[in-house]
Amino acid sequence: MNINGFARGLMAKNDSEEKFLKHVASLVERQLKEWDEQYEVMVMKLTHYEFVVNHNDHFYHLQLTIHDIHKLQQKSPYALDRKIWKELEKQGLTIKRDKGNYIAVMFDKSL
């Protein structure tokens, strides 16, 4: 999957935290579905935002506050994505570094 840095920069600066999180969640789900259609991503607003990935009844979970999302949006256009992907990897999700630049950008420390 490929991404556009200019458009993402505008979104990070102008979107609300919730809208930005939902956009990032849709990209994460799109990437996961390129690897396996069985992936499903859910974002729920409880006390904090609950980011959940389900793959064949195996769940990965990340909790984010509105403050976390805001700080990450301000840090860089892809900081929220990176936090999510790194947490998913830490929980055991296998990250495939294949075609497209999205995953490469998530794990390239110079960007």
Side-chain angles (χ1 to χ4, degrees):
M1 183 170 85
N2 287 303
I3 53 175
N4 180 311
F6 177 74
R8 174 53 80 84
L10 291 175
M11 295 176 90
K13 289 192 183 325
N14 298 310
D15 285 355
S16 70
E17 292 84 0
E18 184 170 337
K19 184 175 180 182
F20 190 67
L21 175 60
K22 287 179 179 179
H23 173 73
V24 170
S26 72
L27 290 179
V28 170
E29 183 172 53
R30 201 163 85 203
Q31 180 62 64
L32 290 168
K33 284 184 177 288
E34 280 188 19
W35 298 334
D36 186 337
E37 280 292 322
Q38 300 303 310
Y39 279 105
E40 181 180 18
V41 173
M42 297 162 277
V43 175
M44 299 169 280
K45 173 86 165 91
L46 303 171
T47 304
H48 302 294
Y49 288 95
E50 307 293 327
F51 189 98
V52 180
V53 174
N54 177 13
H55 184 246
N56 297 323
D57 292 327
H58 183 89
F59 293 88
Y60 305 89
H61 177 265
L62 174 63
Q63 189 176 79
L64 297 158
T65 66
I66 194 96
H67 180 71
D68 294 335
I69 298 165
H70 180 76
K71 276 184 14 186
L72 292 165
Q73 265 181 281
Q74 300 307 307
K75 182 177 178 181
S76 87
Y78 295 105
L80 179 58
D81 306 60
R82 284 188 186 104
K83 178 169 181 60
I84 290 168
W85 282 109
K86 287 179 181 183
E87 182 60 32
L88 294 174
E89 186 176 49
K90 192 163 65 171
Q91 292 180 29
L93 189 137
T94 301
I95 308 296
K96 298 177 184 177
R97 282 133 171 114
D98 54 4
K99 61 185 181 222
N101 69 348
Y102 180 61
I103 291 298
V105 168
M106 294 312 104
F107 291 93
D108 184 342
K109 294 184 181 4
S110 69
L111 299 172

